[in-house]
Amino acid sequence: MLAHLPAINKIRVARHCVLRRLITGTWKNKEQCLFTPAKRKEIYKYSAPWTLYSMNWSVRPDKRFRLAVGSFVEEYNNKVQIVQLDEDPSEFVVRSTFDHPYPTTKIIVDTPDSKGIYPDLLATSGDYLRVWQQGTDGDTRMACLLNNNKNSDFCAPLTSFDWNEVEPNLIGTSSIDTTCTIWGLETGQMLGRVNVVSGHVKTQLIAHDTKCFDIAFSRAGGGRDMFASVGADGSVRMFDLRHLEHSTIIYEDPAHTPLLRLAWNKQDPNYLATVAMDACEVIILDVRVPCTPVARLNNHRACVNGIAWAPHSSVHICTAGDDHQALIWDVQQMPRAIEDPILAYTAAEGEINQIQWGATQPDWIAICYNKCLEILRVGVGRLSSGHPVRHPMRFPPY
């Protein structure tokens, strides 16, 4: 554990202002233009009892600074914790801890329900898709387990899943058995202290020639019916629930390198990003121009592990990788080359294996490395469009 905070890299933005973090929490540019002093710290850190992998933010507006993290222990018994920042002492508090079979491959903390109508649910993928209900007493109980292969004692592990933001009753999963499954979720009346939750398979399809590694719903066409997947065959494929007799191949890796992750632009559904196995670059695709990347983000010096589009902006994306760096890019110049990020952060203590941008708190990005969760204050104002710079300025750790 280092005695100082990890290095923070800040890069010149509009009018060539160089932002520099002062110990007081105030930001100052080269022209001595002062911003309003921050009322809270720029970085909050939580240290878990085990190595972390999966992590996500709560999307409920009444649950600020609530996140869930999943352990990565190479055995059957694993854990999920729900933590929340207590803003008075400025530290994370554990709200709930519960057992989980095998490591979680993904966590979504809440039903995509901005109005707070649905029960306080959480979903995890691993050997199966599980839906959990978070009680007011701090306990988290499993509401249902969704298994599409009940005639066998064995299962094909789920690599990822996505919860439809427009139709919260739809969940899509991806699996190593080459398939994607769309589940219909029903929430019934309260039974005891848990809502009755059940699910049924709406459709299952062979999405790839080999293992399917990720799935994500698109906001195109109303946001309900379209989704994309990536797989070990090196392809990105797009599907429409209304026309499942065919799919569209958006991109194929020239060397057929497996594609591990994809993420849709939150504001412009024409764009999505993907990353290949062991690749140091992120590929951005335009679905209107299939098979030809519209941009390549390649400043990482080791393999990329995570990608997250800004929830509030169509031109900002964050990438993170084994080089300990989280980089924020301004891609508004596409299809011209994007040479450098506009903001950078270095986690000095470990390789970043997970990154998520707060959907209801766009000023904050969360990362995981080793046993640590950190949330980093970005500040929407700092992402106002500026010109990418060729030589990022790096400041030493405090």
Side-chain angles (χ1 to χ4, degrees):
M1 194 73 68
L2 301 183
H4 52 69
L5 291 175
I8 299 178
N9 304 333
K10 290 292 180 265
I11 301 169
R12 185 180 60 196
V13 292
R15 296 193 304 274
H16 306 285
C17 294
V18 179
L19 298 179
R20 188 165 187 173
R21 182 176 187 266
L22 305 181
I23 296 177
T24 60
T26 305
W27 291 81
K28 183 167 63 175
N29 63 25
K30 194 174 182 180
E31 301 166 352
Q32 302 298 307
C33 301
L34 292 177
F35 291 83
T36 303
K39 294 182 179 180
R40 57 170 65 95
K41 295 192 300 183
E42 303 286 324
I43 303 170
Y44 295 96
K45 182 176 180 179
Y46 169 69
S47 296
W50 0 257
T51 301
L52 298 178
Y53 172 65
S54 58
M55 171 270 294
N56 221 327
W57 290 86
S58 169
V59 298
R60 294 177 70 101
D62 59 335
K63 302 293 183 182
R64 284 174 51 82
F65 294 107
R66 184 174 72 167
L67 301 97
V69 293
S71 67
F72 184 81
V73 181
E74 295 187 59
E75 58 185 40
Y76 180 81
N77 297 314
N78 274 261
K79 300 284 187 180
V80 172
Q81 273 191 341
I82 299 171
V83 299
Q84 189 168 18
L85 181 67
D86 189 330
E87 298 183 61
D88 287 335
S90 297
E91 62 184 25
F92 276 101
V93 177
V94 177
R95 300 298 187 193
S96 178
T97 302
F98 58 94
D99 295 329
H100 194 282
Y102 303 107
T104 54
T105 54
K106 187 172 181 179
I107 297 175
I108 295 182
V109 184
D110 302 299
T111 314
D113 172 28
S114 61
K115 297 181 180 179
I117 298 173
Y118 290 85
D120 200 0
L121 300 179
L122 175 148
T124 61
S125 56
D127 52 346
Y128 299 106
L129 177 66
R130 292 175 173 84
V131 180
W132 311 77
Q133 182 164 349
Q134 303 168 65
T136 55
D137 56 358
D139 287 343
T140 303
R141 302 173 179 84
M142 190 170 69
C144 71
L145 183 150
L146 302 180
N147 174 17
N148 194 31
N149 189 18
K150 298 180 180 179
N151 296 323
S152 173
D153 293 332
F154 302 95
C155 64
L158 302 179
T159 52
S160 187
F161 75 102
D162 195 25
W163 209 325
N164 192 292
E165 295 179 3
V166 173
E167 182 53 73
N169 292 327
L170 293 180
I171 296 181
T173 61
S174 57
S175 172
I176 65 170
D177 67 1
T178 77
T179 67
C180 288
T181 303
I182 306 299
W183 293 87
L185 202 65
E186 294 90 31
T187 303
Q189 297 297 317
M190 182 77 74
L191 182 62
R193 290 184 291 177
V194 180
N195 284 81
V196 177
V197 179
S198 61
H200 67 279
V201 175
K202 294 183 72 71
T203 187
Q204 185 177 44
L205 54 98
I206 297 175
H208 292 266
D209 299 331
T210 52
K211 298 174 182 177
C212 184
F213 286 136
D214 202 3
I215 181 174
F217 285 102
S218 166
R219 292 189 176 183
R224 182 189 183 277
D225 297 301
M226 301 182 72
F227 65 93
S229 63
V230 293
D233 57 5
S235 69
V236 181
R237 305 192 183 199
M238 193 160 71
F239 302 86
D240 189 328
L241 291 174
R242 298 162 295 187
H243 306 286
L244 288 175
E245 62 273 10
H246 60 81
S247 64
T248 302
I249 296 178
I250 301 300
Y251 174 74
E252 286 187 293
D253 184 86
H256 301 290
T257 305
L259 300 178
L260 300 183
R261 289 289 174 258
L262 83 154
W264 285 99
N265 189 306
K266 301 296 185 182
Q267 297 294 326
D268 188 341
N270 290 315
Y271 296 103
L272 62 86
T274 186
V275 60
M277 183 174 66
D278 298 328
C280 299
E281 69 173 8
V282 172
I283 296 169
I284 298 181
L285 306 169
D286 186 339
V287 298
R288 298 165 296 187
V289 189
C291 301
T292 303
V294 70
R296 294 178 183 269
L297 311 178
N298 51 20
N299 273 51
H300 282 282
R301 298 186 297 273
C303 66
V304 177
N305 297 322
I307 45 181
W309 287 93
H312 61 290
S313 167
S314 63
V315 297
H316 293 103
I317 185 172
C318 191
T319 62
D322 275 2
D323 59 356
H324 300 206
Q325 289 199 101
L327 307 177
I328 295 180
W329 308 77
D330 186 333
V331 298
Q332 63 180 317
Q333 294 190 73
M334 296 187 302
R336 288 183 290 172
I338 310 298
E339 296 185 358
D340 290 289
I342 59 169
L343 293 173
Y345 176 80
T346 300
E349 298 175 26
E351 302 167 348
I352 302 175
N353 56 41
Q354 188 69 250
I355 186 163
Q356 299 288 344
W357 205 319
T360 57
Q361 295 176 251
D363 274 354
W364 295 86
I365 288 175
I367 62 173
C368 282
Y369 59 88
N370 298 336
K371 296 182 178 181
C372 296
L373 160 72
E374 284 188 348
I375 62 171
L376 318 171
R377 185 175 180 271
V378 179
V380 175
R382 295 175 211 161
L383 297 184
S384 58
S385 60
H387 300 288
V389 295
R390 297 182 181 276
H391 303 290
M393 294 196 65
R394 300 181 182 275
F395 298 101
Y398 300 113

